[in-house]
PDB file of all heavy atoms in Angstrom:
ATOM      1  N   LYS A 121      -3.793  35.961  -2.677  1.00 95.00           N
ATOM      2  CA  LYS A 121      -3.128  36.262  -3.949  1.00 95.00           C
ATOM      3  C   LYS A 121      -2.847  34.946  -4.679  1.00 95.00           C
ATOM      4  O   LYS A 121      -2.946  33.871  -4.098  1.00 95.00           O
ATOM      5  CB  LYS A 121      -1.812  36.996  -3.681  1.00 95.00           C
ATOM      6  CG  LYS A 121      -2.010  38.332  -2.960  1.00 95.00           C
ATOM      7  CD  LYS A 121      -0.696  39.061  -2.781  1.00 95.00           C
ATOM      8  CE  LYS A 121       0.241  38.271  -1.929  1.00 95.00           C
ATOM      9  NZ  LYS A 121       1.585  38.783  -1.828  1.00 95.00           N
ATOM     10  N   LEU A 125      -0.512  33.476  -0.686  1.00 98.00           N
ATOM     11  CA  LEU A 125      -0.387  34.259   0.549  1.00 98.00           C
ATOM     12  C   LEU A 125      -1.567  35.218   0.679  1.00 98.00           C
ATOM     13  O   LEU A 125      -2.134  35.659  -0.336  1.00 98.00           O
ATOM     14  CB  LEU A 125       0.923  35.061   0.548  1.00 98.00           C
ATOM     15  CG  LEU A 125       2.198  34.217   0.547  1.00 98.00           C
ATOM     16  CD1 LEU A 125       3.429  35.117   0.554  1.00 98.00           C
ATOM     17  CD2 LEU A 125       2.236  33.259   1.739  1.00 98.00           C
ATOM     18  N   ILE A 126      -1.911  35.524   1.917  1.00 97.00           N
ATOM     19  CA  ILE A 126      -3.023  36.464   2.052  1.00 97.00           C
ATOM     20  C   ILE A 126      -2.561  37.861   1.645  1.00 97.00           C
ATOM     21  O   ILE A 126      -1.401  38.225   1.797  1.00 97.00           O
ATOM     22  CB  ILE A 126      -3.656  36.453   3.461  1.00 97.00           C
ATOM     23  CG1 ILE A 126      -2.780  37.102   4.494  1.00 97.00           C
ATOM     24  CG2 ILE A 126      -4.049  35.072   3.906  1.00 97.00           C
ATOM     25  CD1 ILE A 126      -3.583  37.495   5.712  1.00 97.00           C
ATOM     26  N   ASP A 127      -3.497  38.593   1.088  1.00 98.00           N
ATOM     27  CA  ASP A 127      -3.200  39.930   0.583  1.00 98.00           C
ATOM     28  C   ASP A 127      -3.148  40.888   1.791  1.00 98.00           C
ATOM     29  O   ASP A 127      -4.181  41.249   2.361  1.00 98.00           O
ATOM     30  CB  ASP A 127      -4.323  40.313  -0.400  1.00 98.00           C
ATOM     31  CG  ASP A 127      -4.087  41.649  -1.049  1.00 98.00           C
ATOM     32  OD1 ASP A 127      -3.377  42.485  -0.432  1.00 98.00           O
ATOM     33  OD2 ASP A 127      -4.621  41.871  -2.139  1.00 98.00           O
ATOM     34  N   LEU A 128      -1.931  41.262   2.171  1.00 98.00           N
ATOM     35  CA  LEU A 128      -1.766  42.058   3.395  1.00 98.00           C
ATOM     36  C   LEU A 128      -2.420  43.440   3.269  1.00 98.00           C
ATOM     37  O   LEU A 128      -2.926  43.984   4.256  1.00 98.00           O
ATOM     38  CB  LEU A 128      -0.281  42.187   3.741  1.00 98.00           C
ATOM     39  CG  LEU A 128       0.411  40.852   4.097  1.00 98.00           C
ATOM     40  CD1 LEU A 128       1.915  41.060   4.267  1.00 98.00           C
ATOM     41  CD2 LEU A 128      -0.172  40.219   5.347  1.00 98.00           C
ATOM     42  N   ASP A 129      -2.413  43.983   2.049  1.00 98.00           N
ATOM     43  CA  ASP A 129      -3.074  45.288   1.862  1.00 98.00           C
ATOM     44  C   ASP A 129      -4.568  45.159   2.118  1.00 98.00           C
ATOM     45  O   ASP A 129      -5.194  46.030   2.719  1.00 98.00           O
ATOM     46  CB  ASP A 129      -2.834  45.821   0.437  1.00 98.00           C
ATOM     47  CG  ASP A 129      -1.382  46.217   0.255  1.00 98.00           C
ATOM     48  OD1 ASP A 129      -0.761  46.598   1.275  1.00 98.00           O
ATOM     49  OD2 ASP A 129      -0.858  46.104  -0.872  1.00 98.00           O
ATOM     50  N   LEU A 131      -5.939  42.946   4.053  1.00 98.00           N
ATOM     51  CA  LEU A 131      -6.119  42.789   5.504  1.00 98.00           C
ATOM     52  C   LEU A 131      -6.130  44.164   6.179  1.00 98.00           C
ATOM     53  O   LEU A 131      -6.978  44.440   7.036  1.00 98.00           O
ATOM     54  CB  LEU A 131      -5.005  41.899   6.091  1.00 98.00           C
ATOM     55  CG  LEU A 131      -5.028  41.700   7.608  1.00 98.00           C
ATOM     56  CD1 LEU A 131      -6.328  41.023   8.062  1.00 98.00           C
ATOM     57  CD2 LEU A 131      -3.830  40.872   8.081  1.00 98.00           C
ATOM     58  N   LYS A 132      -5.206  45.031   5.736  1.00 98.00           N
ATOM     59  CA  LYS A 132      -5.158  46.393   6.310  1.00 98.00           C
ATOM     60  C   LYS A 132      -6.467  47.147   6.042  1.00 98.00           C
ATOM     61  O   LYS A 132      -6.930  47.918   6.873  1.00 98.00           O
ATOM     62  CB  LYS A 132      -3.996  47.191   5.697  1.00 98.00           C
ATOM     63  CG  LYS A 132      -2.645  46.779   6.256  1.00 98.00           C
ATOM     64  CD  LYS A 132      -1.544  47.633   5.639  1.00 98.00           C
ATOM     65  CE  LYS A 132      -0.215  46.959   5.793  1.00 98.00           C
ATOM     66  NZ  LYS A 132       0.782  47.346   4.798  1.00 98.00           N
ATOM     67  N   ILE A 135      -9.419  45.387   8.441  1.00 98.00           N
ATOM     68  CA  ILE A 135      -9.330  45.416   9.904  1.00 98.00           C
ATOM     69  C   ILE A 135      -9.730  46.795  10.447  1.00 98.00           C
ATOM     70  O   ILE A 135      -9.376  47.825   9.868  1.00 98.00           O
ATOM     71  CB  ILE A 135      -7.911  44.977  10.361  1.00 98.00           C
ATOM     72  CG1 ILE A 135      -7.875  44.627  11.850  1.00 98.00           C
ATOM     73  CG2 ILE A 135      -6.850  45.976  10.010  1.00 98.00           C
ATOM     74  CD1 ILE A 135      -6.617  43.854  12.263  1.00 98.00           C
ATOM     75  N   VAL A 142      -8.621  37.721  14.226  1.00 98.00           N
ATOM     76  CA  VAL A 142      -8.201  37.315  12.875  1.00 98.00           C
ATOM     77  C   VAL A 142      -7.830  35.836  12.998  1.00 98.00           C
ATOM     78  O   VAL A 142      -7.003  35.468  13.836  1.00 98.00           O
ATOM     79  CB  VAL A 142      -7.005  38.148  12.374  1.00 98.00           C
ATOM     80  CG1 VAL A 142      -6.493  37.599  11.038  1.00 98.00           C
ATOM     81  CG2 VAL A 142      -7.392  39.621  12.225  1.00 98.00           C
ATOM     82  N   ILE A 144      -6.480  32.522  11.027  1.00 98.00           N
ATOM     83  CA  ILE A 144      -5.751  32.162   9.809  1.00 98.00           C
ATOM     84  C   ILE A 144      -4.991  30.850  10.027  1.00 98.00           C
ATOM     85  O   ILE A 144      -4.473  30.601  11.123  1.00 98.00           O
ATOM     86  CB  ILE A 144      -4.780  33.311   9.454  1.00 98.00           C
ATOM     87  CG1 ILE A 144      -5.593  34.459   8.869  1.00 98.00           C
ATOM     88  CG2 ILE A 144      -3.689  32.882   8.479  1.00 98.00           C
ATOM     89  CD1 ILE A 144      -4.837  35.673   8.527  1.00 98.00           C
ATOM     90  N   TYR A 146      -1.793  28.503   9.720  1.00 98.00           N
ATOM     91  CA  TYR A 146      -0.336  28.605   9.493  1.00 98.00           C
ATOM     92  C   TYR A 146      -0.035  27.981   8.134  1.00 98.00           C
ATOM     93  O   TYR A 146       0.628  28.578   7.285  1.00 98.00           O
ATOM     94  CB  TYR A 146       0.382  27.822  10.589  1.00 98.00           C
ATOM     95  CG  TYR A 146       1.690  28.408  11.013  1.00 98.00           C
ATOM     96  CD1 TYR A 146       1.876  28.829  12.321  1.00 98.00           C
ATOM     97  CD2 TYR A 146       2.737  28.534  10.120  1.00 98.00           C
ATOM     98  CE1 TYR A 146       3.074  29.364  12.734  1.00 98.00           C
ATOM     99  CE2 TYR A 146       3.938  29.083  10.536  1.00 98.00           C
ATOM    100  CZ  TYR A 146       4.113  29.489  11.835  1.00 98.00           C
ATOM    101  OH  TYR A 146       5.286  30.020  12.242  1.00 98.00           O
ATOM    102  N   GLN A 155       1.611  30.603   5.552  1.00 98.00           N
ATOM    103  CA  GLN A 155       1.384  32.053   5.582  1.00 98.00           C
ATOM    104  C   GLN A 155       2.494  32.774   6.343  1.00 98.00           C
ATOM    105  O   GLN A 155       3.188  32.171   7.158  1.00 98.00           O
ATOM    106  CB  GLN A 155       0.033  32.366   6.242  1.00 98.00           C
ATOM    107  CG  GLN A 155      -1.156  31.849   5.479  1.00 98.00           C
ATOM    108  CD  GLN A 155      -1.327  32.491   4.101  1.00 98.00           C
ATOM    109  OE1 GLN A 155      -0.901  33.615   3.865  1.00 98.00           O
ATOM    110  NE2 GLN A 155      -1.944  31.759   3.179  1.00 98.00           N
ATOM    111  N   ASN A 156       2.626  34.043   6.047  1.00 96.00           N
ATOM    112  CA  ASN A 156       3.632  34.856   6.707  1.00 96.00           C
ATOM    113  C   ASN A 156       3.046  35.456   7.998  1.00 96.00           C
ATOM    114  O   ASN A 156       2.514  36.566   8.008  1.00 96.00           O
ATOM    115  CB  ASN A 156       4.079  35.963   5.742  1.00 96.00           C
ATOM    116  CG  ASN A 156       5.310  36.642   6.257  1.00 96.00           C
ATOM    117  OD1 ASN A 156       5.595  36.595   7.452  1.00 96.00           O
ATOM    118  ND2 ASN A 156       6.048  37.267   5.369  1.00 96.00           N
ATOM    119  N   ILE A 157       3.136  34.674   9.060  1.00 97.00           N
ATOM    120  CA  ILE A 157       2.472  35.049  10.312  1.00 97.00           C
ATOM    121  C   ILE A 157       3.077  36.328  10.895  1.00 97.00           C
ATOM    122  O   ILE A 157       2.365  37.167  11.453  1.00 97.00           O
ATOM    123  CB  ILE A 157       2.549  33.876  11.328  1.00 97.00           C
ATOM    124  CG1 ILE A 157       1.843  32.628  10.760  1.00 97.00           C
ATOM    125  CG2 ILE A 157       1.965  34.272  12.687  1.00 97.00           C
ATOM    126  CD1 ILE A 157       0.357  32.761  10.514  1.00 97.00           C
ATOM    127  N   LYS A 158       4.396  36.501  10.733  1.00 96.00           N
ATOM    128  CA  LYS A 158       5.059  37.695  11.289  1.00 96.00           C
ATOM    129  C   LYS A 158       4.457  38.971  10.702  1.00 96.00           C
ATOM    130  O   LYS A 158       4.206  39.936  11.417  1.00 96.00           O
ATOM    131  CB  LYS A 158       6.555  37.659  10.975  1.00 96.00           C
ATOM    132  CG  LYS A 158       7.346  36.943  12.022  1.00 96.00           C
ATOM    133  CD  LYS A 158       8.773  37.477  12.145  1.00 96.00           C
ATOM    134  CE  LYS A 158       9.505  36.823  13.284  1.00 96.00           C
ATOM    135  NZ  LYS A 158       8.780  36.540  14.495  1.00 96.00           N
ATOM    136  N   GLU A 159       4.274  38.969   9.381  1.00 97.00           N
ATOM    137  CA  GLU A 159       3.724  40.164   8.707  1.00 97.00           C
ATOM    138  C   GLU A 159       2.274  40.401   9.131  1.00 97.00           C
ATOM    139  O   GLU A 159       1.843  41.544   9.305  1.00 97.00           O
ATOM    140  CB  GLU A 159       3.808  40.005   7.179  1.00 97.00           C
ATOM    141  CG  GLU A 159       5.222  40.017   6.623  1.00 97.00           C
ATOM    142  CD  GLU A 159       5.978  41.291   6.998  1.00 97.00           C
ATOM    143  OE1 GLU A 159       5.403  42.379   6.871  1.00 97.00           O
ATOM    144  OE2 GLU A 159       7.150  41.176   7.445  1.00 97.00           O
ATOM    145  N   ILE A 160       1.541  39.323   9.292  1.00 97.00           N
ATOM    146  CA  ILE A 160       0.133  39.443   9.709  1.00 97.00           C
ATOM    147  C   ILE A 160       0.084  40.027  11.124  1.00 97.00           C
ATOM    148  O   ILE A 160      -0.709  40.912  11.437  1.00 97.00           O
ATOM    149  CB  ILE A 160      -0.564  38.060   9.636  1.00 97.00           C
ATOM    150  CG1 ILE A 160      -0.622  37.577   8.178  1.00 97.00           C
ATOM    151  CG2 ILE A 160      -1.963  38.096  10.246  1.00 97.00           C
ATOM    152  CD1 ILE A 160      -0.976  36.126   7.983  1.00 97.00           C
ATOM    153  N   ARG A 161       0.964  39.524  11.976  1.00 97.00           N
ATOM    154  CA  ARG A 161       1.024  40.007  13.367  1.00 97.00           C
ATOM    155  C   ARG A 161       1.288  41.509  13.416  1.00 97.00           C
ATOM    156  O   ARG A 161       0.678  42.246  14.187  1.00 97.00           O
ATOM    157  CB  ARG A 161       2.124  39.249  14.116  1.00 97.00           C
ATOM    158  CG  ARG A 161       2.356  39.704  15.522  1.00 97.00           C
ATOM    159  CD  ARG A 161       1.384  39.031  16.465  1.00 97.00           C
ATOM    160  NE  ARG A 161       0.436  39.927  17.069  1.00 97.00           N
ATOM    161  CZ  ARG A 161      -0.510  39.534  17.924  1.00 97.00           C
ATOM    162  NH1 ARG A 161      -0.653  38.275  18.239  1.00 97.00           N
ATOM    163  NH2 ARG A 161      -1.339  40.384  18.441  1.00 97.00           N
ATOM    164  N   LYS A 162       2.240  41.957  12.553  1.00 97.00           N
ATOM    165  CA  LYS A 162       2.590  43.387  12.563  1.00 97.00           C
ATOM    166  C   LYS A 162       1.353  44.244  12.334  1.00 97.00           C
ATOM    167  O   LYS A 162       1.172  45.276  12.962  1.00 97.00           O
ATOM    168  CB  LYS A 162       3.614  43.671  11.449  1.00 97.00           C
ATOM    169  CG  LYS A 162       5.040  43.420  11.878  1.00 97.00           C
ATOM    170  CD  LYS A 162       5.982  43.955  10.811  1.00 97.00           C
ATOM    171  CE  LYS A 162       7.291  43.209  10.850  1.00 97.00           C
ATOM    172  NZ  LYS A 162       8.008  43.243   9.567  1.00 97.00           N
ATOM    173  N   ILE A 163       0.504  43.800  11.415  1.00 98.00           N
ATOM    174  CA  ILE A 163      -0.709  44.572  11.101  1.00 98.00           C
ATOM    175  C   ILE A 163      -1.650  44.555  12.306  1.00 98.00           C
ATOM    176  O   ILE A 163      -2.188  45.586  12.716  1.00 98.00           O
ATOM    177  CB  ILE A 163      -1.402  43.999   9.842  1.00 98.00           C
ATOM    178  CG1 ILE A 163      -0.481  44.176   8.630  1.00 98.00           C
ATOM    179  CG2 ILE A 163      -2.770  44.639   9.608  1.00 98.00           C
ATOM    180  CD1 ILE A 163      -0.925  43.460   7.381  1.00 98.00           C
ATOM    181  N   ILE A 164      -1.803  43.361  12.915  1.00 98.00           N
ATOM    182  CA  ILE A 164      -2.730  43.238  14.050  1.00 98.00           C
ATOM    183  C   ILE A 164      -2.231  44.032  15.260  1.00 98.00           C
ATOM    184  O   ILE A 164      -3.032  44.522  16.062  1.00 98.00           O
ATOM    185  CB  ILE A 164      -2.939  41.744  14.392  1.00 98.00           C
ATOM    186  CG1 ILE A 164      -3.618  41.043  13.211  1.00 98.00           C
ATOM    187  CG2 ILE A 164      -3.788  41.569  15.651  1.00 98.00           C
ATOM    188  CD1 ILE A 164      -3.788  39.571  13.377  1.00 98.00           C
ATOM    189  N   ASN A 165      -0.933  44.173  15.372  1.00 97.00           N
ATOM    190  CA  ASN A 165      -0.371  44.913  16.511  1.00 97.00           C
ATOM    191  C   ASN A 165      -0.900  46.340  16.612  1.00 97.00           C
ATOM    192  O   ASN A 165      -0.904  46.935  17.681  1.00 97.00           O
ATOM    193  CB  ASN A 165       1.156  44.947  16.428  1.00 97.00           C
ATOM    194  CG  ASN A 165       1.751  43.673  16.989  1.00 97.00           C
ATOM    195  OD1 ASN A 165       1.064  42.897  17.658  1.00 97.00           O
ATOM    196  ND2 ASN A 165       3.020  43.428  16.710  1.00 97.00           N
ATOM    197  N   ASN A 166      -1.344  46.888  15.495  1.00 97.00           N
ATOM    198  CA  ASN A 166      -1.914  48.242  15.528  1.00 97.00           C
ATOM    199  C   ASN A 166      -3.326  48.261  16.109  1.00 97.00           C
ATOM    200  O   ASN A 166      -3.920  49.330  16.257  1.00 97.00           O
ATOM    201  CB  ASN A 166      -1.960  48.839  14.112  1.00 97.00           C
ATOM    202  CG  ASN A 166      -0.570  48.999  13.551  1.00 97.00           C
ATOM    203  OD1 ASN A 166       0.353  49.347  14.287  1.00 97.00           O
ATOM    204  ND2 ASN A 166      -0.396  48.705  12.266  1.00 97.00           N
ATOM    205  N   LEU A 172      -5.001  37.224  17.481  1.00 98.00           N
ATOM    206  CA  LEU A 172      -4.620  36.417  16.309  1.00 98.00           C
ATOM    207  C   LEU A 172      -4.725  34.938  16.667  1.00 98.00           C
ATOM    208  O   LEU A 172      -4.042  34.455  17.575  1.00 98.00           O
ATOM    209  CB  LEU A 172      -3.187  36.753  15.879  1.00 98.00           C
ATOM    210  CG  LEU A 172      -2.594  35.868  14.767  1.00 98.00           C
ATOM    211  CD1 LEU A 172      -3.429  35.948  13.486  1.00 98.00           C
ATOM    212  CD2 LEU A 172      -1.150  36.258  14.461  1.00 98.00           C
ATOM    213  N   ASP A 186       6.654  29.594  15.414  1.00 87.00           N
ATOM    214  CA  ASP A 186       7.043  30.616  16.385  1.00 87.00           C
ATOM    215  C   ASP A 186       5.803  31.063  17.156  1.00 87.00           C
ATOM    216  O   ASP A 186       4.967  31.793  16.645  1.00 87.00           O
ATOM    217  CB  ASP A 186       7.688  31.806  15.651  1.00 87.00           C
ATOM    218  CG  ASP A 186       8.206  32.835  16.636  1.00 87.00           C
ATOM    219  OD1 ASP A 186       7.971  32.667  17.843  1.00 87.00           O
ATOM    220  OD2 ASP A 186       8.850  33.808  16.184  1.00 87.00           O
ATOM    221  N   ASP A 189       4.415  35.083  18.212  1.00 91.00           N
ATOM    222  CA  ASP A 189       3.581  36.018  17.444  1.00 91.00           C
ATOM    223  C   ASP A 189       2.091  35.721  17.550  1.00 91.00           C
ATOM    224  O   ASP A 189       1.285  36.406  16.946  1.00 91.00           O
ATOM    225  CB  ASP A 189       3.974  35.946  15.957  1.00 91.00           C
ATOM    226  CG  ASP A 189       5.373  36.477  15.745  1.00 91.00           C
ATOM    227  OD1 ASP A 189       5.700  37.499  16.364  1.00 91.00           O
ATOM    228  OD2 ASP A 189       6.128  35.854  14.981  1.00 91.00           O
TER     229      ASP A 189
END
Side-chain angles (χ1 to χ4, degrees):
K121 299 183 298 172
L125 296 180
I126 73 161
D127 183 334
L128 295 173
D129 290 331
L131 177 61
K132 284 182 200 155
I135 195 165
V142 174
I144 285 177
Y146 214 119
Q155 295 296 334
N156 192 338
I157 299 296
K158 271 210 175 322
E159 292 303 314
I160 295 166
R161 176 84 247 180
K162 274 190 206 156
I163 296 170
I164 296 176
N165 277 346
N166 297 322
L172 173 60
D186 185 355
D189 293 318

